[in-house]
Amino acid sequence: MDEINLRQKFLLILIIVTVSRNAISYSEDVAQSFRGLFTRHSNKRLSSIQADFVSNVSLDVCTGECVAAARFQCKSFSYDSIRRSCFLYAVNLNDPDVRLVDVEGRDHYETSYLKQFARLPSHEVRLMTSQSISSISPEECARRCILETRFKCRGFNYEHVVGQPVRCLLVESSPATGSQAAMTNEATDFYQKETEGAISSFINYGMGMLRPTITSEVYQRSVRGVTADGCAQRCLDETTFDCLSFDYVHEDDNRQNICHLSQYIAANVQGLVVDSVNPRHNHFERIERFLNYFYATPYAVIQGNNMKTFTKVTPNRCARLCMEEDAFVCRSFDYTVVPEATCLLSSKTSRDVGGLDTASGHVHHFEMKPLLDCGGNLTEPEGGFASPNWPRNYAHHENCVWNITTSRNKVIELRFTHLDLGLQSSDECSDEDDRLVVTDSGYRPYCVKPNTKMVTTKTNSVRLQFLSNAEVDAQGFRAFYRAEWTCNMLLKESPGEFASPKWPENYPSGSRCTWRITAPEGQRVHIVFTSFALEHHALGHCNEKLDHVRILDGGTVGSSLIGLYCGSRPSFAVVSSGQDVLVQFSSDNDPQASRPGFHAKFVFEAMNGSISDKDSRFINIGEGVEASKWQGTEEEDTRVVGSLSSSEDLLSARDESTSNGFRSAMWAVVTCLLLLVGALAVALFLVIRHYRRKINGEMEKSVDEVDSYPMESVPLQSIESSFRKNQFNNRVDLIGGAEAVAASCTITSRNEDAATTFEEEKLPSASTALMHPRPPPRLHRPQSSYGKYHEDNVKNINVEDKTQV
């Protein structure tokens, strides 16, 4: 269908030109589609005289003029960007005595019809040739195939036998149709026209099949009697396993085609092998996401121009590494299947080095396709864009606009791997400069400064406009964008969402984010954390030095603390007492402790609990987290995280969390009471034991001292009064100590000095002690304050008292 549509476009243009050349009116879409047929040489023109001239036209119209030229075969053209003039040529650099000449302000464009073909070196399709042309270049052969109207040209064999003229053999069939396999032939290269249908999603690696392994079966399913396109469609539709390749056998012994589906590629099984019994088989591998941006040339290589090497990667991963390389402009890569699945990045293409070398082993060459899109609407969660003609210099008079829109609760993170817009004047955003203008929705436009690496928007919608003048050009820019959760934002209306950076992927270390949620007057904020998985803290206690979420009941950092949260928790809710809540997230600098983070939804509700339902808007209140290099996964993230989707869910979660909070509070009170009772019991036991030992020791000493005096000289009333006085003083000290223990509700190592209230212990009277004396202690006891007080009382008895006794 693509071939027919393209041919119809050419024929339509030819008819219009023949009737009235002045009546030609190209639409921007049709004219721009022709750019892919040409290769640009900046500040150059041909040394020959032009065959035609058109004035006051754009570059796209000039391109269309060359394609539609009817009076002669337009092989190339030059465009004067200052005078907006178009020079058409009937010759190109392949003709003798034709060369490029330097000229300021003019660019030369050579036709590049070969871009519409996939080259398979050292292979041929052995079918009846529909047309044979001798002594023409591969580029001219490709042009003949594209413009052929007598039959449907699907490709051509290009023979380059040593000592013979080269030949172009146009064919009506290809391995994609399933009627003929590509067979090896060292003196022929097969060029297959870009295909349509399911087979266009695969690269044909020519003759060969997956190498069998001892440990596992390389094929997961086989089907007979289908075409190659049907086999490709079955691989794309497969659901029981991830189908990445298939081997297609053209007419086996039973005259049937066989389709073998596999979850492996050649790099997984150490390359391909050729079945000597039936060599009529071809290997096809799926063009994964990033390989779509490259032309594939199997069994070819650029020698000696590799600038960076990676091992044990897939071709798709290698393509992504090339696209995201920021140390140099990566334009191509070579991929070696054996022995270690090696990826070799390069800044050169086949045009820069004079062509590719044919590789004898399992080595394949991939060149980046020029990015021709000049603007567009981008709505995917992540993607990329670049200046027109990237990875080569952009053209003059470009005016491209990209509109990027993501989900309303996120912002857009733009990362520039390269940014070169030529020399800039001192005036910012000057009309004299090539510039990239950023307009954040609702904010003032600004120009991206040179050497910018990262731009984070303030809203979920942004407009980027690229403008180039007529004087100079440069390398341009390559940018990737990604929808990210807000960080350091003021959230003003509900319902809304927020999450840790990069959620549900792991958040980066050293993250610092603050969200202030402000409800209207008379309403409060209700937050439900649907997912919560942070770094685990030791002993279950949250530490602000580690990863945590801190929630304050107010709009400032001095507001009262609602809670400090860490570790992994089930869904829970938080309700503010007023209209403001401040949520702070912090992670330490330990990359090993990173976790998926958290996700939360919030609504505004009246103090009676009714929910306010409005669209969410947010504004930036500070700089976001400094983003590191984007390291996304190769595949799309398919993790599904549970969420609450309605107001009823939020209210249910709130009631459940309130009940759980009440139970938690009751358990905390009971625990505190038990600790208090335990502390009192331990203190009582220690105090009783301590003072019993002290009192017994003093009583024994007192008896010994009394025995040393004549019985009649010691007044019993004085001794008994002394004991009771000391006992009263000790009880006073005990009561004060008990009050201190009740106030602190803690137990320390100083329990021996603590005291509590207890029943008054009945001590033996002095008369009882005298009637039942105990033997004196054999060991020396240190004299206590109680014993000294008693000794002083005994020594202070005067003679008169003795007489009285």
Side-chain angles (χ1 to χ4, degrees), residues 109-251:
Y109 291 82
E110 290 274 320
T111 57
S112 184
Y113 292 102
L114 279 177
K115 291 181 179 180
Q116 308 299 316
F117 292 81
R119 180 188 173 205
L120 191 57
S122 303
H123 282 75
E124 67 173 341
V125 173
R126 298 173 184 175
L127 283 178
M128 183 180 295
T129 302
S130 300
Q131 187 176 359
S132 177
I133 309 106
S134 299
S135 302
I136 63 173
S137 65
E139 175 66 25
E140 178 61 25
C141 190
R143 182 178 183 274
R144 296 286 186 95
C145 183
I146 288 177
L147 300 180
E148 181 58 56
T149 58
R150 292 170 296 173
F151 60 91
K152 189 173 183 178
C153 181
R154 297 184 181 275
F156 61 91
N157 293 317
Y158 192 78
E159 294 182 353
H160 44 84
V161 181
V162 178
Q164 298 181 12
V166 295
R167 286 202 308 163
C168 168
L169 308 173
L170 306 184
V171 297
E172 298 184 55
S173 184
S174 72
T177 63
S179 57
Q180 179 64 45
M183 310 293 287
T184 56
N185 185 341
E186 295 295 333
T188 304
D189 295 338
F190 176 68
Y191 291 81
Q192 179 175 296
K193 197 173 182 181
E194 286 188 346
T195 56
E196 57 193 30
I199 197 70
S200 63
S201 299
F202 292 82
I203 299 174
N204 183 3
Y205 285 92
M207 192 168 69
M209 59 191 303
L210 291 175
R211 185 184 300 275
T213 62
I214 300 176
T215 58
S216 61
E217 177 61 45
V218 294
Y219 300 128
Q220 282 65 54
R221 180 168 297 178
S222 297
V223 184
R224 290 179 177 271
V226 297
T227 64
D229 190 71
C231 186
Q233 189 63 57
R234 288 176 180 266
C235 185
L236 294 175
D237 295 340
E238 185 59 54
T239 58
T240 58
F241 63 93
D242 188 13
C243 183
L244 296 178
S245 71
F246 67 88
D247 291 339
Y248 191 77
V249 181
H250 297 263
E251 297 183 357

Side-chain angles (χ1 to χ4, degrees), residues 526 573 648-661 663:
H526 185 108
E648 289 76 14
D649 293 331
L650 291 173
L651 291 175
S652 176
R654 180 192 62 187
D655 295 338
E656 181 181 354
S657 65
T658 302
S659 177
N660 292 336
R663 288 195 295 268

Side-chain angles (χ1 to χ4, degrees), residues 499-515:
S500 54
K502 301 189 182 302
W503 184 89
E505 298 177 13
N506 287 359
Y507 52 81
S509 59
S511 297
R512 301 289 186 276
C513 287
T514 300
W515 299 269

